[in-house]
Amino acid sequence: MKSLFDSETHTEILNRIDNLSESSQREWGKMEVGQMLRHCQFPLKVALGKHTIKKPNFFMRLLYKGFKKSMYNDKLWKRNLPTAPGFKVEDKKDFKEEKDKLVALINDFHEERTKKTRDPHPAFGELTYDQWGQMQYKHLDHHLRQFGV
């Protein structure tokens, strides 16, 4: 599995984002391209300690534990998976503004590639260094494929 901590993968993701435009159309799902760019910022903000999410209740922790490995393994996510409530973006977003913010967060995350430990993820608990980098890549890859880049 690729990792956003890897320099080649970091460059690949930035190039794919650069291939998006305001007129990019989704191949599945409900979000427009500006909404997707905003949505992709949330997991990066969580990883960087810039956004907090409510810790899940007991039932939800069990549910998250069941699909934790899918967050960083090589198997592609299915189309139209449900979005975590705190990461939903329903209002229209400015493409350029959201693209610039996402690129800045991707660069910030990549710059932290020497940071070997992080606080536990609020939903998934302890993650290794590799799992953090892989999870961020996988989420971005999923949504960039959603828009054909």
Side-chain angles (χ1 to χ4, degrees), residues 9-144:
T9 301
H10 171 249
T11 300
E12 170 209 320
I13 287 292
L14 294 178
N15 288 337
R16 289 169 68 188
I17 290 170
D18 203 43
N19 285 323
L20 291 169
S21 71
E22 265 186 279
S23 60
S24 294
Q25 296 296 308
R26 63 187 175 261
E27 295 179 11
W28 73 85
K30 298 176 183 175
M31 290 185 284
E32 295 176 353
V33 67
Q35 293 170 317
M36 177 275 290
L37 292 168
R38 176 62 157 282
H39 164 79
C40 286
Q41 295 170 36
F42 290 116
L44 288 158
K45 286 180 178 181
V46 169
L48 292 165
K50 296 179 179 182
H51 182 76
T52 57
I53 57 175
K54 184 178 171 186
K55 289 193 177 195
N57 63 34
F58 176 76
F59 174 74
M60 291 305 291
R61 279 195 308 268
L62 288 176
L63 187 64
Y64 285 131
K65 187 176 183 178
F67 66 89
K68 179 179 176 178
K69 288 182 183 174
S70 73
M71 299 305 291
Y72 49 79
N73 65 17
D74 285 325
K75 188 175 178 183
L76 295 177
W77 290 339
K78 294 178 182 175
R79 296 176 174 199
N80 297 308
L81 288 172
T83 301
F87 292 177
K88 285 187 178 183
V89 179
E90 296 175 344
D91 51 327
K92 192 162 177 66
K93 296 294 175 190
D94 179 81
F95 172 80
K96 171 120 176 60
E97 180 181 335
E98 299 305 334
K99 179 180 172 184
D100 291 347
K101 287 179 182 178
L102 178 59
V103 167
L105 287 166
I106 290 168
N107 288 333
D108 289 350
F109 184 79
H110 182 69
E111 285 300 314
E112 285 195 354
R113 66 190 174 278
T114 59
K115 182 178 177 182
K116 297 298 180 186
T117 59
R118 297 182 182 277
D119 291 336
H121 189 280
F124 298 110
E126 294 292 335
L127 294 167
T128 67
Y129 172 83
D130 290 335
Q131 290 166 347
W132 274 108
Q134 292 163 347
M135 182 170 66
Q136 297 305 321
Y137 170 79
K138 190 168 183 176
H139 184 248
L140 290 165
D141 175 66
H142 175 75
H143 286 292
L144 292 172

